[in-house]
Amino acid sequence: MASVYETLRADIVAAMKARDTARATALRTMDAAIQRAALDGNKPIADTLAVATIRKAVKNLADARTEFEKGGRADLVAANTAEIAHLEKYLPQGLDAAKLDALITEVIAAVGATSKKEMGKVIGALKQRPEAPLIDFGAASKVVQAKLP
């Protein structure tokens, strides 16, 4: 099975051969971001680095899309939506709400958290779990806040 980065590189070539400039540009930009992250962190390019970089880019694009919507820029909203769609293909499927809820309940019990002041302990413990790459920590944070008094 090819790594996320190898798949991305192969898709760049395919997009260039198909003359799909929007897709090729989005993927090449992501390729450069992954290489820059590897260089900055002095780490080899691995799936965890690639997925983290892609996830960060998707979050930034989604934030920008929100601002473009507020500004009434439909052209930029459409471009960002298309770029997000190209990049989400490389992200693993996240946990569904029921699994996330069960995991958070289990971690709260394991940590022994009893108030919102201990939310950091719960999030820290979630980040140590093997399921961490699949967790959307924005959603997890809201669930933890709802569960802790």
Side-chain angles (χ1 to χ4, degrees):
M1 184 173 126
S3 71
V4 172
Y5 184 68
E6 291 168 348
T7 305
L8 178 93
R9 297 284 298 192
D11 288 349
I12 290 171
V13 173
M16 290 172 66
K17 285 182 179 178
R19 299 192 188 278
D20 185 352
T21 56
R23 184 168 170 238
T25 301
L27 297 180
R28 290 175 83 182
T29 302
M30 197 68 262
D31 178 31
I34 292 169
Q35 289 181 8
R36 187 172 40 253
L39 188 64
D40 289 348
N42 198 21
K43 298 177 182 176
I45 296 174
D47 276 354
T48 54
L49 176 72
V51 168
T53 306
I54 294 169
R55 195 175 305 246
K56 183 177 179 182
V58 167
K59 181 185 180 309
N60 289 342
L61 287 167
D63 292 345
R65 182 177 58 192
T66 303
E67 294 302 317
F68 293 147
E69 287 171 348
K70 288 179 186 175
R73 295 292 308 267
D75 56 332
L76 295 176
V77 170
N80 268 25
T81 302
E83 191 169 348
I84 289 170
H86 292 311
L87 296 178
E88 283 182 335
K89 171 185 171 192
Y90 303 98
L91 294 175
Q93 293 297 327
L95 296 176
D96 64 356
K99 288 181 183 177
L100 180 63
D101 191 67
L103 181 64
I104 289 173
T105 302
E106 178 184 325
V107 170
I108 287 174
V111 171
T114 57
S115 70
K116 289 184 181 179
K117 291 180 182 179
E118 296 174 303
M119 190 171 151
K121 288 182 186 178
V122 175
I123 297 295
L126 278 174
K127 288 183 178 182
Q128 301 304 317
R129 299 292 299 241
E131 302 91 347
L134 304 176
I135 297 173
D136 173 9
F137 283 97
S141 175
K142 291 176 183 170
V143 174
V144 171
Q145 284 180 352
K147 288 188 171 289
L148 293 175

